[in-house]
């Protein structure tokens, strides 16, 4: 194996293995199970990270059997796994622990049968009453499933029981609070794992390592050295086949409320005193609560019209399947916010995210203040570019630092970069976010999941914007062409502050 020769990998320890358990996936016939969950579980099995006897029960409404479900999952792994086609020997043993459970989510009898089935699996496969329930259904089904789990005594067992809840976690503050109340009437908070897959990305986890395992960055991570921060999550894809869902959501709910706010918290939080679930999440919540209410004039919305993607013509958002032809749903958002605390007072954070942009790129850029004076006569201060530390979340995962350098043989200064790339340094492909998150849940580690107060603090901040947008006059959508960098208003918006978006 090539990576064994890589000096950066010597001495790495494999993590802990969870106790034997069963994962029940509600909505097992859906896209998420096929594209993400089962390939992630398979790759964990491949890397021997799963416990002996690990079992999966797929719960859905389709009239399938264990056998047909297994076949479908095998195909799903062949298509979607980062490790390529299934290894027949490994699959044979993995598939033995996969079961299909037919039932409607509101059918009490299906849950009674589930109780029996889980007990049988415990006996046959030694899973000790340990369970993870995964809600991978449309969100409308969450309350029904949660209530049924409670009624049938499935929230408690002879072992441990945990529940993973997919996004969206509510569509505004009131609905998020209601969902929290429902889930917490059946489960305790420490049993609840609200997933945000961005937190499972290696590069996102590395933000904390970069900040807190290196001594040189923290002293300058401060308003006295930082001019502003830009967080970009740009996608080339449109809404694909999710138009129906997306048209009731939009970029603020779909991306900003969860993924970008999580990135912001990790960049801005204070060092926790220990690295554990509550200490880390306490610090993140403090950031969210310190954010000043976002002014409406500090937001820009966009919606893509027809244009191109990867050199091919593509239709506009309003022509996508499931989308209203007069839709006012935003597919692009840019906003500015301030964190009113000692570290960040006065430093603007610019966030932007959109679909059908020219490149798929997620990046956090810390732009430092310019050098205070210029002692090199041939280069005016204005020509000097400030230092930028860019954390590249995806693709081309890495970290780069821009600084000024002398041009050889000439009395001039030009910006250059110092680059770190994960791929080149470690020589392995990063695991998928879901691998890490599923494993952490089985291990009972909630650090990379969002806590109740966190999710509510984020909605508290963004719900007034959603309300104001809904009450305001309709916008002349579409206002950016597919394949462009979003509406011109977004450029004008940041230009008013004498700044510009990074060219990515
Ligand atoms: C999901 C959103 O949460 O994240 C999608 O619902 C989006 O609309 C996706 O495309 C982006 O995730 P990633 O990992 O591809 O950046």
């Amino acid at each position: 194996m090539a990576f064994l020769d890589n000096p950066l990998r010597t001495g790495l320890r494999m993590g802990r293995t969870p106790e034997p358990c069963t994962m029940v996936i509600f909505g097992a016939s859906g896209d998420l199970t096929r594209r993400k969950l089962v390939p992630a579980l398979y790759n964990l099995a491949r890397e021997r990270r799963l416990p002996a006897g690990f079992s999966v029960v797929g719960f859905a409404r389709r009239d399938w059997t264990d056998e047909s479900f297994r076949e479908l999952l095998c195909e799903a792994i062949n298509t979607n796994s980062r490790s390529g086609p299934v290894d027949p020997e490994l699959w044979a043993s993995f598939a033995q622990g996969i079961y299909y459970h037919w039932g409607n989510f509101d059918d009490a009898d299906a849950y009674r049968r589930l109780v029996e089935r889980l007990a049988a699996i415990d006996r046959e496969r030694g899973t000790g009453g340990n369970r993870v329930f995964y809600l991978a259904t449309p969100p409308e089904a969450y309350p029904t499933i949660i209530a049924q789990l409670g009624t049938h005594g499935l929230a408690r067992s002879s072992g441990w029981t945990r529940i993973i809840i997919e996004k969206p976690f509510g569509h505004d503050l009131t609905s998020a609070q209601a969902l929290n109340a429902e889930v917490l009437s059946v489960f305790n908070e420490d049993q609840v794992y609200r997933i945000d897959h961005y937190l499972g990305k290696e590069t996102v986890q590395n933000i904390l390592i970069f900040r807190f395992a290196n001594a040189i960055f923290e002293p300058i991570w401060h308003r006295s050295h930082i001019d502003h921060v830009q967080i970009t999550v740009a996608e080339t894809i449109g809404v694909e086949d999710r138009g129906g869902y997306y048209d009731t959501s939009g970029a603020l709910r779909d991306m900003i409320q969860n993924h970008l706010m999580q990135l912001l918290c990790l960049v801005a939080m204070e060092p926790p005193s220990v690295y554990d679930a509550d200490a880390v999440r306490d610090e993140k919540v403090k950031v969210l609560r310190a954010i000043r209410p976002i002014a409406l004039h500090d937001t820009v919305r966009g919606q893509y019209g027809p244009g191109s993607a990867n050199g091919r013509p593509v239709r506009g958002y309003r022509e996508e399947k499931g989308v209203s032809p007069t839709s006012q749903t935003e597919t692009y958002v840019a906003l500015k916010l301030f964190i009113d605390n000692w570290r960040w007072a006065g430093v603007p954070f610019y966030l932007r995210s959109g679909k059908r942009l020219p490149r798929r790129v997620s990046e956090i850029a810390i732009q430092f203040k310019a050098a205070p004076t210029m002692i090199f006569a041939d280069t005016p201060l204005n020509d000097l570019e400030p230092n930028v530390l860019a954390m590249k979340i995806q693709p081309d995962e890495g970290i780069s630092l821009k600084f000024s350098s002398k041009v050889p043989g000439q009395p001039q200064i030009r910006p250059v970069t110092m680059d770190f790339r994960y791929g080149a340094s470690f020589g392995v492909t990063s695991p998928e976010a879901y691998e890490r998150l599923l494993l952490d849940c089985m291990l009972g580690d909630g650090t990379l999941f969002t806590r109740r107060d966190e999710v509510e603090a984020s909605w508290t901040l963004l719900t007034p914007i959603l309300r104001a947008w809904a009450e305001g006059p309709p916008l002349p959508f579409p206002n950016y062409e597919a394949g462009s960098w979003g509406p011109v208003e977004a450029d004008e918006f940041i230009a008013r502050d004498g700044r510009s978006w990074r060219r990515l």
Side-chain angles (χ1 to χ4, degrees):
M1 284 194 276
F3 67 71
L4 289 181
D5 301 321
N6 183 330
L8 287 185
R9 290 195 61 90
T10 48
L12 291 188
R13 279 172 295 151
M14 291 304 269
R16 289 186 295 142
T17 305
E19 291 173 297
C21 59
T22 303
M23 183 173 286
V24 182
I25 303 176
F26 290 92
S29 55
D31 216 34
L32 184 72
T33 307
R34 282 199 300 271
R35 282 196 308 114
K36 298 286 182 190
L37 303 183
V38 169
L41 291 171
Y42 172 80
N43 279 314
L44 288 172
R46 216 178 118 257
E47 293 182 356
R48 298 179 202 289
R49 306 297 301 274
L50 290 181
F54 174 77
S55 309
V56 176
V57 176
F59 188 130
R61 286 170 285 205
R62 305 264 176 98
D63 184 14
W64 289 345
T65 61
D66 287 351
E67 220 25 69
S68 62
F69 186 51
R70 286 174 190 160
E71 273 167 32
L72 198 106
L73 297 189
C74 184
E75 253 173 64
I77 296 168
N78 279 329
T79 321
N80 299 312
S81 162
R82 69 181 168 91
S83 59
V86 286
D87 165 347
E89 209 175 308
L90 174 61
W91 172 250
S93 84
F94 185 65
Q96 272 174 19
I98 297 179
Y99 307 90
Y100 183 73
H101 192 80
W102 172 82
N104 283 318
F105 300 136
D106 59 356
D107 174 10
D109 189 52
Y111 293 83
R112 278 193 287 273
R113 289 188 286 109
L114 182 64
V115 171
E116 285 163 20
R117 191 145 203 195
L118 291 175
I121 294 174
D122 283 343
R123 284 193 303 275
E124 286 158 26
R125 298 183 55 85
T127 38
N130 298 324
R131 276 129 207 201
V132 176
F133 295 109
Y134 199 119
L135 302 193
T137 62
E140 304 78 72
Y142 295 171
T144 309
I145 299 170
I146 292 165
Q148 291 283 1
L149 290 174
T151 308
H152 292 88
L154 283 162
R156 309 273 175 268
S157 76
S158 53
W160 46 256
T161 302
R162 299 177 186 134
I163 181 165
I164 303 183
I165 304 181
E166 258 300 327
K167 64 168 283 252
F169 197 95
H171 57 268
D172 59 10
L173 178 60
T174 314
S175 55
Q177 284 170 328
L179 181 55
N180 271 328
E182 269 151 5
V183 69
L184 295 173
S185 68
V186 175
F187 294 89
N188 298 328
E189 175 64 34
D190 64 4
Q191 294 178 283
V192 183
Y193 291 71
R194 298 172 191 80
I195 211 160
D196 181 320
H197 77 280
Y198 264 60
L199 291 178
K201 291 183 191 273
E202 290 282 323
T203 42
V204 174
Q205 292 164 47
N206 197 39
I207 298 170
L208 293 191
I209 312 288
F210 180 80
R211 288 190 56 199
F212 303 137
N214 295 295
I216 61 171
F217 303 110
E218 214 33 39
I220 56 168
W221 214 258
H222 193 266
R223 69 189 142 86
S224 48
H225 295 280
I226 294 177
D227 176 73
H228 74 279
V229 176
Q230 289 189 22
I231 304 181
T232 303
V233 177
E235 298 186 277
T236 50
I237 55 170
V239 289
E240 301 185 293
D241 51 2
R242 300 160 71 226
Y245 148 76
Y246 195 90
D247 211 33
T248 61
S249 171
L252 195 80
R253 291 185 170 100
D254 187 53
M255 297 297 287
I256 307 270
Q257 183 274 331
N258 37 58
H259 308 324
L260 277 87
M261 294 310 279
Q262 287 295 330
L263 297 179
L264 171 88
C265 286
L266 296 175
V267 169
M269 68 191 256
E270 295 300 315
S273 50
V274 285
Y275 188 75
D276 75 22
D278 275 326
V280 169
R281 296 186 294 183
D282 286 347
E283 294 305 333
K284 284 162 66 190
V285 172
K286 285 186 209 162
V287 172
L288 291 169
R289 294 201 175 135
I291 297 174
R292 192 188 301 167
I294 301 167
L296 199 55
H297 61 255
D298 282 339
T299 68
V300 174
R301 272 173 291 165
Q303 186 192 76
Y304 65 82
S308 64
N310 302 320
R312 297 232 294 273
V314 292
R315 58 170 87 104
Y317 175 70
R318 289 178 174 187
E319 289 88 54
E320 303 273 18
K321 199 164 141 249
V323 171
S324 151
T326 55
S327 173
Q328 278 289 310
T329 301
E330 78 288 354
T331 59
Y332 176 100
V333 175
L335 58 82
K336 174 168 74 169
L337 56 81
F338 290 95
I339 304 172
D340 283 338
N341 64 16
W342 196 264
R343 187 190 286 267
W344 294 115
V347 178
F349 285 74
Y350 297 94
L351 275 51
R352 63 174 163 160
S353 180
K355 294 207 181 279
R356 285 283 187 234
L357 301 185
R359 286 192 56 205
R360 174 174 186 251
V361 51
S362 300
E363 184 207 76
I364 301 167
I366 316 290
Q367 178 151 334
F368 290 90
K369 293 191 169 167
T373 179
M374 182 37 74
I375 57 172
F376 306 106
D378 289 328
T379 309
L381 192 54
N382 292 348
D383 285 359
L384 210 60
E385 296 193 15
N387 299 121
V388 177
L389 182 88
M391 295 189 243
K392 298 180 185 170
I393 308 295
Q394 63 190 21
D396 303 331
E397 291 84 353
I399 297 175
S400 75
L401 178 65
K402 182 164 88 171
F403 58 97
S404 295
S405 174
K406 181 179 177 306
V407 179
Q410 290 180 36
Q412 277 179 3
I413 297 177
R414 286 277 180 276
V416 292
T417 58
M418 220 154 51
D419 278 315
F420 150 67
R421 292 189 172 229
Y422 282 86
S425 296
F426 291 100
V428 280
T429 51
S430 294
E432 284 273 335
Y434 277 94
E435 295 173 34
R436 169 68 192 253
L437 295 173
L438 294 177
L439 193 66
D440 276 8
C441 173
M442 290 183 238
L443 287 165
D445 183 349
T447 313
L448 300 178
F449 294 83
T450 29
R451 209 168 53 187
R452 172 194 191 152
D453 48 356
E454 221 177 325
V455 94
E456 291 184 9
S458 176
W459 278 122
T460 302
L461 200 66
L462 298 178
T463 302
I465 299 176
L466 288 167
R467 201 173 298 139
W469 284 354
E471 285 165 4
L475 293 191
F477 281 167
N479 62 349
Y480 72 95
E481 211 176 281
S484 72
W485 275 108
V488 282
E489 290 84 349
D491 295 332
E492 292 164 1
F493 157 74
I494 193 167
R496 282 199 288 277
D497 293 347
R499 302 186 175 99
S500 57
W501 294 111
R502 278 170 56 74
R503 284 215 234 133
L504 299 172

